[in-house]
Every structure is written in structure tokens, then in C-alpha cells.
Amino acid sequence: MTADRKDLGLIIERLRLGAGFSASEHDWVAERLTALGSRLRSFSEGQVDLEISVKDRRGAGQQLTLECRLHRFPGLHLVAGSSAPDLPVALNEVHTDMIRQMDHAKTRTEPRHNRALRQERDREA
């Protein structure tokens, strides 16, 4: 199974559709969010909740929101939004912003840990 297939499967398992989407659109939306899969692979099944919703769909004030709750980090709740009138464009914007936020959250927690490990290693040498 290729990485893209694994990532798509991961998104399909963890994505919940909120207001503004029908159940028949689940796979279509998941395909557009596949790039998030590589960021989510390090989390076990119960550690990630994804929910996407859209308000005023096809209207002038359409607002797409993607929420990600990461239970590995205490209370980390990431939210990405887009007001692009075209739904595929909005999906691209929220997945790009969510990737940026996940990368930022990871670097916020990891460098201190890595720095401490490097300092311990340097003291032992």
C-alpha cells in the first residue's frame, strides 16, 4: 500500500463531517485532505479528532472550518478556516493552514526535549 493510500485511509478513519456536508461527500473531502495524513501518522487512533464544517454553503459568506484535536498534547485544539467562495479552494486553504499549525505545534514541544537530550549526551562525552 502506498503512502498516499495509507494517508487517505487515515483521514477517512478520523474525519467527521459537520454541518453543511452530507455523508456522501465524506470520501471526496477526505481525498482533498490527504496531505494531513503524513502529519497524523505519529498519533495513534484515539489521539486525533478531525471535524470539518461549512456555514452558508454556496452563499456569499461561506465559511469552512477544519478542527483538529490532538490528545497527545494537553488540550491542543487547532482550528483552520477559509472564506473562499469555491469549496475546493477553501479545502486547500484549510488543509495548508492546518499543516502549518501542526508543524508549529510539533516544533513548540520538541525542541526543548531534544535540546535537553543533546545536553545530557554532551555531558556524558
Side-chain angles (χ1 to χ4, degrees):
M1 186 178 269
T2 66
D4 287 345
R5 285 269 186 227
K6 288 180 184 176
D7 292 346
L8 177 58
L10 198 92
I11 298 298
I12 287 173
E13 289 173 9
R14 299 176 186 183
L15 180 66
R16 211 176 45 223
L17 297 181
F21 288 102
S22 66
S24 64
E25 295 175 300
H26 188 268
D27 291 347
W28 178 80
V29 172
E31 284 178 24
R32 274 132 190 91
L33 300 176
T34 301
L36 287 174
S38 63
R39 303 306 193 284
L40 300 176
R41 276 190 232 143
S42 62
F43 298 95
S44 65
E45 190 173 327
Q47 291 181 321
V48 177
D49 293 321
L50 289 172
E51 183 174 351
I52 192 161
S53 60
V54 62
K55 291 181 183 175
D56 194 22
R57 188 166 180 179
R58 296 181 188 96
Q62 175 175 289
Q63 180 64 38
L64 183 71
T65 304
L66 176 62
E67 296 180 63
C68 179
R69 287 182 178 80
L70 299 172
H71 302 292
R72 181 192 293 175
F73 306 110
L76 189 57
H77 181 209
L78 306 174
V79 179
S82 173
S83 57
D86 186 35
L87 191 58
V89 171
L91 283 164
N92 189 46
E93 287 179 4
V94 296
H95 104 266
T96 301
D97 188 31
M98 186 59 69
I99 288 171
R100 182 193 57 75
Q101 289 184 47
M102 290 175 133
D103 289 347
H104 181 72
K106 231 177 167 181
T107 58
R108 238 184 17 222
T109 57
E110 288 180 357
R112 282 183 278 159
H113 180 68
N114 289 343
R115 191 176 314 122
L117 287 177
R118 283 194 303 269
Q119 288 172 348
E120 285 179 26
R121 185 189 65 214
D122 291 343
R123 278 187 232 134
E124 293 173 3

